Amino acid sequence: MTEQSGQSPALDNLSTESRVFPPDPAFTGAANVREGAYAEAEADREAFWAEQARRLTWDAEWSQVLDWSGAPFAKWFVGGKLNVAVNCVDRHVEAGNGDRVAIHWVGEPGDTRDITYAQLKVEVSKTANALASLGLVAGDRVAIQMPMVPEAIFSMLACARLGLVHSVVFGGFSAAALRSRIDDAEARVLITTDGQYRRGAPAPMKDGTDEATAHTPSIEKVVVVRRTGSDVQWTEGRDVWWHDLVDGQPEEHTPESFDAEHPLFILYTSGTTGKPKGIQHTSGGYLTQAAYTHHAVFDLKPETDVYWCTADIGWITGHTYIVYGPLANGATQVVYEGTPNTPHEGRHWEIIQQHRVSIYYTAPTLIRTFMKWGADIPEKYDLSSLRVLGSVGEPINPEAWVWYREHIGRGTAPIVDTWWQTETGAIMISPLPGVTKTKPGSAQRALPGISAKVVDDNGVEVAHGGGGYLVLDKPWPSMLRGIWGDPERFRDTYWSRYAEQGFYFAGDGAKYDADGDIWLLGRVDDVMNVSGHRISTTEVESALVSHPTVAEAAVVGAADETTGQGIVAFVILRGTAKADDSTVKVLRDHVAAEIGPIAKPRQVLVVNELPKTRSGKIMRRLLRDVAENREVGDTTTLADSTVMDLISSGLKDSA
Ligand code: 6R9
């Protein structure tokens, strides 16, 4: 590896990427974490995590750090008691930081709201009193489908305060998707808004949730925040306005202590089958790793930094790095409601300039979009406050990494490429700013206290330079505790592939470089990654075949310059259905309605046949070749070897 300062031409090829960026000594001198942390944690992993758990305020001390006797079901900080919301809010007020801004909220139309920790305590207490007044008790599930408004964060924290289990459903998910998530978790209450701002205009929200809750027997109340002021349908006795319910509540709420393993939330994510998995997280271990990683990976200095994570609270990144990690650490952060190009393409840079944002955490798909919009846009703004840049959601290509560093980070801000999953709860693999010599495109090394390996099919660790599957070979505090209502699926999905070794199978391909640093190579299962969102091929296929004109469908993720992968669907139509543009449009819209606009296929290609093996498995590899305009690969395992010619010539005819 050569060390250089980044002038070399952008290489967009992981296998030849060799640039290395050593940390600035001045940064290293003041960094939150030292190189020695790795060895220290390695020497006694449990002692290391116990020390990190002391970042939190506990009401009762634990008697055991880790109980792994029921593996793969872990218990961390056994016997310990705490209240997660008190840790994220009250204790900062008690420590004299009540006047510190917790949230600089920026609405899409330009309205703003600064919320101090003292004000946050009042809002969360009132919301907790309101939810308790609905008869909810610890352990009950509350569904939340909301845009990025402060009330969404108040709701999550109020649930945590009462021991209610929240299930946040991304605002872009369809009524059908919301309904199945509500049913699976049997949520008693749904919190939503009348509407939401999307690209400068109000769009409906409650219309969709009404469609969902028309068929959800478990929902007793729907709490509605007024955001856009648009007209909504109202179901008397069930619907209640947030302001009617919350505004008059007492500002004091006495919190209860909950067990470290008390469930905190469920978050649904796509798996390899059509049915999303309700990933379960608990309290003490989750908050410990959220707080530690936010402190270590972003080098957070709560007194001086202004932090901004651009994720939506509907995803795990929003849970851990907008709500729980930063607030547990007493950070000041920006929360932005809208899209990055509303009202103009410099919106993010304008917000960074205005709030002097020092830590910015976003996704590769957005970085590539910024690249497309042009470097002259960020150049118009003062970005000199930025000192740490983060990336999450998918592998970042070296070209985008270098652009991010040069045009946003002025060639000096360290970039942390953070690998983790809904299931891991918090960051697992990432460089540490001030410690790691960074490499464009590599997440590099498991954090102190975390262990990850790249192994072959037999579970044997591959040599430096070799590739295979990413596994996590030691339990970690914020690991998922199961899949809601389906312990068998939990074992099957994550623990059966390397049952003998007891490894957690992450579903990602990875390789070691010559230094032993880890490079993530994308999913190895049927999960696509579109703009950092996980969508399963099966989920989209089921949506397509649910349409009366479709006989059969096969879906692949094809490389896409902006979104990482784009969804390409191959469909066989029924009988007399016509293979024309209007059918294609109908099918794309149908998928958007079934799952949500993020799952809308980039292309729908009508074909007469699909390539299958003799055992009837669709050979997606060959379809991916077609979707990516490549020479079609090895077809010898096809039941009918002429199928690919038929598909290719059929596509040419219809082009
Ligand atoms: C946090 C989050 C998880 C999947 C994961 C992997 C991909 C996330 C990555 C990355 C390479 C990174 N992924 N971060 N791949 N480098 N820095 O995104 O959770 O939505 O559950 O997705 O995303 O494929 O398995 P989630």
Side-chain angles (χ1 to χ4, degrees), residues 62 95 98 130 149 260 272 301 326 415 502 583 592:
W62 55 88
V149 291
T272 48
K301 311 282 196 284
I415 295 180
T583 308

Side-chain angles (χ1 to χ4, degrees), residues 316 393-395 417-422 508 520 523 529 534:
I316 191 66
E394 56 175 313
D417 173 7
T418 63
W419 180 90
W420 59 295
Q421 307 176 301
T422 305
D508 278 31
L520 277 313
R523 301 288 307 188
N529 190 326
R534 279 164 68 171

Side-chain angles (χ1 to χ4, degrees), residues 530-564:
V530 182
S531 298
H533 304 318
R534 279 164 68 171
I535 301 165
S536 88
T537 52
T538 332
E539 226 174 332
V540 180
E541 285 165 6
S542 324
L544 284 165
V545 295
S546 74
H547 194 273
T549 59
V550 176
E552 212 178 341
V555 167
V556 299
D560 186 290
E561 245 182 47
T562 307
T563 60

Side-chain angles (χ1 to χ4, degrees), residues 38 391 396 401 416-420 428-432 436 439-447 517-520:
Y38 292 101
S391 171
I396 178 165
W401 193 103
V416 288
D417 173 7
T418 63
W419 180 90
W420 59 295
M428 301 294 280
I429 305 175
S430 171
L432 287 174
T436 315
K439 299 173 179 176
S442 173
Q444 297 187 273
R445 187 172 177 187
L447 293 179
D517 279 323
I518 298 173
W519 296 68
L520 277 313

Side-chain angles (χ1 to χ4, degrees), residues 23-35 294-305 359 387-388 414 432-436:
D24 174 351
F27 197 117
T28 305
N32 282 355
V33 182
R34 299 291 141 99
E35 173 70 41
H294 184 255
H295 158 88
V297 175
F298 299 106
D299 192 48
L300 177 87
K301 311 282 196 284
E303 299 80 18
T304 47
D305 274 316
I359 305 168
R387 62 177 204 92
V388 179
L432 287 174
V435 176
T436 315

